[in-house]
Amino acid sequence: MTQHLAAAPAAPTTGTHTGWWRDAVIYQVYPRSFADGNGDGMGDLEGVRSRLPYLRDLGVDAVWLSPFYASPQADAGYDVADYRAIDPMFGTLLDADALIREAHGLGLRVIVDLVPNHSSDRHEWFQRALAEGPGSPLRERYHFRPGKGANGELPPNDWESIFGGPAWTRTADGEWYLHLFAPEQPDFNWEHPAVRDEFRSILRFWLDMGVDGFRVDVAHGLVKAAGLPDIGAHDQLKLLGNDVMPFFDQDGVHEIYRSWNQVLAEYDGERILVAEAWTPTVERTAHYVRPGEMHQAFNFQYLGAHWDAAELRTVIDASLDAMRPVGAPTTWVLSNHDVTRHATRFANPPGLGTQLRTPGDRGLGLRRARAASLLMLALPGSAYVYQGEELGLPDVTDLPDEVRQDPSFFRATGQDGYRDGCRVPLPWTATGSSYGFGAGGSWLPQPDTWGPLSVEAQTGDPHSTLELYRSALAVRRAHPGLGAGESLTWLPAPEGVLAFARPGFTCTANTTGAPVRLPAPGTLLLATAEVTAAADGSVELPADTTAWWAV
């Protein structure tokens, strides 16, 4: 049952437009794996609320909460049955209200996930559409179609689900419905005015609750090509190729986001829209953040880059060049709930993709992850931190098949299905059955080696990854040359080393497996490994190390 609460204010502002998102560090919380407040083994909103002081002390600016809506959990909450209710496993609307208010009291903004491409098959609209049968007006709010073949036994077109298998499921009455993800996630028809009206209403509901913005799931997928044409010889899953797919990145999505931007403008404070938009190029990504549309878009080209100086420089330049004409900040991200953590990606040879089942060289992976994180936090724009990366957590690559819950794991093709490995609950204490996650254990088993990686074990250790992040975020906040901006200046550097300048600041990143010697760029502020100074004024930058310098 939906509860109604009094409107809450957005995060405190100075009364002027600050463009806070342009240099914000935003921390992604995956609620079921962050902290468990009621001891049932599943993370919840009360658990998140209790740990907000940790996030304040870490030094982030905002918290992005992955879905907590009422859901059958066929895809970990990305199958929403009621967009105005909290799933009981996470709490209630009162818990959400308390979380938002307490976060604002601590100076943290709150961004919530919005899932507009599809609903749950348990959503009231879809259930009524099924019950009323062919010809029901409610079927027009989704993509119901007759099948091909003599008896309609073939899907309406050749589209494949991102999770593998056909993107169509046949109902008992013979019609088919479209789902680009799991069958339990039917796609909305965004050409229908009722769908557009409903989501503007949903935006206002959460804005009235006081949220500061929305991360829009599958922002590139809402509008499909007219007539739902066959793909034919196109590679169904080549989402980062040269072609725009007929079910992704259609130009019609931008009209929707312009209307949403107008809704946000009705509210005090600076509320934002963040696009999860997989596009063929960063130039196409820039379309989502043109004036009057969204405020940020995830930089998946950067996330997919290897730990290689030449490749990173190419992606950084392309990202900054694409965003500059539209006046939007570039965003940088290394990990999230859908990909292998970068501490594990970088522990493996390039070319294995973003989903892995091998731990690789964990020591190497951690060194590179620390260096990559410090590099990311030095770049102009906004940065995203996925929960646990500040602890240097690796993916859990040896989860037994019987505990896995990722729906794509159970499909024959499509995604690799190993996203559970980056979703294992966090270790807060060095000991205990769930390392402080909660009194009732954890919904996915944690490795017995995670005690030394816990918040408790790393706090106060100057060499720990947690203290590296705390220091980096403090320096980033204090140094005028860091944070927002549209450009940087590349400096001469040895092969395999990135060196760039920003006002009063220089960053050097050695991506090679050997130490390099270079002239000292200035006064050392922070480094991911010990930097040695020589009498001649040069410094030795260890392998896989990033250093920050005040100039």
Side-chain angles (χ1 to χ4, degrees):
M1 180 177 68
T2 300
Q3 297 165 277
H4 297 279
L5 302 170
T13 66
T14 61
T16 60
H17 290 283
T18 62
W20 65 267
W21 65 89
R22 304 188 72 86
D23 63 357
V25 177
I26 300 172
Y27 187 99
Q28 181 188 358
V29 166
Y30 192 68
R32 62 171 54 203
S33 297
F34 189 67
D36 176 13
N38 63 6
D40 65 356
M42 184 70 66
D44 48 39
L45 295 183
E46 174 57 27
V48 176
R49 190 187 64 80
S50 71
R51 297 292 186 178
L52 288 174
Y54 165 79
L55 298 179
R56 174 203 57 197
D57 295 343
L58 182 62
V60 301
D61 301 291
V63 180
W64 153 33
L65 297 165
S66 291
F68 45 64
Y69 307 107
S71 166
Q73 303 295 319
D75 184 22
Y78 283 93
D79 51 316
V80 181
D82 186 343
Y83 290 86
R84 298 177 180 84
I86 307 297
D87 194 280
M89 77 162 58
F90 297 126
T92 67
L93 275 175
L94 292 173
D95 294 322
D97 180 69
L99 190 161
I100 293 166
R101 291 175 184 272
E102 185 158 336
H104 288 169
L106 294 171
L108 297 168
R109 300 178 193 266
V110 178
I111 297 170
V112 298
D113 228 309
L114 188 66
V115 188
N117 179 70
H118 48 263
S119 73
S120 165
D121 62 354
R122 307 285 182 85
H123 191 283
E124 179 187 8
W125 284 4
F126 193 77
Q127 287 290 299
R128 287 175 55 196
L130 288 179
E132 293 176 10
S136 166
L138 282 168
R139 292 203 173 193
E140 298 174 5
R141 300 181 185 186
Y142 295 90
H143 294 279
F144 280 86
R145 297 288 188 277
K148 293 181 178 180
N151 299 303
E153 72 276 9
L154 300 176
N157 67 21
D158 64 356
W159 293 5
E160 294 281 322
S161 163
I162 302 304
F163 287 164
W168 296 89
T169 289
R170 197 177 192 187
T171 66
D173 54 48
E175 284 197 330
W176 298 73
Y177 67 88
L178 176 69
H179 54 86
L180 292 183
F181 295 87
E184 298 89 350
Q185 297 168 289
D187 279 45
F188 284 116
N189 173 16
W190 273 87
E191 301 302 327
H192 198 290
V195 175
R196 298 191 178 214
D197 289 345
E198 171 68 357
F199 272 88
R200 284 192 290 267
S201 175
I202 291 167
L203 290 175
R204 291 187 176 98
F205 178 88
W206 289 101
L207 291 166
D208 287 342
M209 286 274 288
V211 303
D212 301 285
F214 302 88
R215 177 266 190 186
V216 182
D217 185 61
V218 195
H220 55 300
L222 277 57
V223 174
K224 279 68 174 174
L228 308 184
D230 283 345
I231 294 175
H234 281 290
D235 180 351
Q236 297 266 3
L237 296 178
K238 194 176 181 183
L239 302 184
L240 297 180
N242 295 321
D243 298 314
V244 176
M245 308 296 281
F247 50 74
F248 280 157
D249 196 30
Q250 297 293 305
D251 289 338
V253 300
H254 299 289
E255 178 188 350
I256 296 168
Y257 301 135
R258 286 191 289 272
S259 74
W260 288 11
N261 188 294
Q262 292 171 5
V263 171
L264 268 62
E266 298 170 6
Y267 288 79
D268 293 334
E270 295 181 286
R271 322 286 180 111
I272 71 168
L273 296 168
V274 182
E276 184 214 23
W278 292 87
T279 65
T281 64
V282 289
E283 289 76 19
R284 291 288 301 184
T285 301
H287 290 176
Y288 289 79
V289 289
R290 291 175 294 197
E293 294 192 33
M294 292 190 160
H295 301 80
Q296 291 186 342
F298 288 147
N299 189 341
F300 292 116
Q301 285 80 6
Y302 185 76
L303 183 150
H306 300 114
W307 182 238
D308 174 82
E311 182 177 352
L312 286 166
R313 178 167 176 168
T314 297
V315 172
I316 291 167
D317 281 342
S319 300
L320 292 170
D321 289 346
M323 296 299 157
R324 196 175 295 115
V326 297
T330 307
T331 65
W332 313 100
V333 59
L334 289 166
S335 288
N336 63 38
H337 65 291
D338 280 334
V339 301
T340 298
R341 290 181 178 276
H342 59 284
T344 296
R345 287 205 315 277
F346 293 153
N348 285 272
L352 293 185
T354 58
Q355 299 292 346
L356 305 170
R357 286 198 91 177
T358 170
D361 183 338
R362 286 183 171 167
L364 175 65
L366 180 59
R367 289 197 302 276
R368 289 176 170 177
R370 287 162 55 93
S373 298
L374 205 60
L375 171 64
M376 175 185 76
L377 292 170
L379 295 170
S382 176
Y384 280 77
V385 173
Y386 176 51
Q387 64 176 45
E389 74 172 72
E390 78 278 13
L391 304 177
L393 294 186
D395 250 48
V396 181
T397 57
D398 57 354
L399 286 171
D401 289 352
E402 59 268 21
V403 306
R404 292 185 176 275
Q405 299 190 28
D406 184 350
S408 63
F409 178 75
F410 302 99
R411 313 278 289 192
T413 57
Q415 292 186 2
D416 293 331
Y418 302 130
R419 296 180 299 173
D420 290 317
C422 66
R423 300 175 177 182
V424 174
L426 298 190
W428 292 93
T429 59
T431 59
S433 62
S434 67
Y435 300 108
F437 170 69
S442 62
W443 67 280
L444 282 174
Q446 299 157 302
D448 57 12
T449 57
W450 270 21
L453 296 176
S454 66
V455 172
E456 180 182 52
Q458 294 197 44
T459 295
D461 178 357
H463 303 294
S464 72
T465 303
L466 175 57
E467 294 298 348
L468 173 69
Y469 268 75
R470 286 172 170 164
S471 297
L473 293 178
V475 172
R476 178 187 166 99
R477 187 183 295 269
H479 199 291
L482 289 171
E486 296 181 353
S487 62
L488 50 78
T489 302
W490 293 108
L491 303 174
E495 184 176 358
V497 175
L498 291 171
F500 62 83
R502 301 188 64 194
F505 173 87
T506 295
C507 177
T508 54
N510 178 11
T511 69
T512 74
V516 295
R517 189 167 293 278
L518 65 162
T523 302
L524 184 65
L525 291 172
L526 192 62
T528 59
E530 186 174 356
V531 176
T532 305
D536 62 0
S538 66
V539 294
E540 184 175 275
L541 197 62
D544 300 309
T545 295
T546 297
W548 288 0
W549 310 84
V551 180

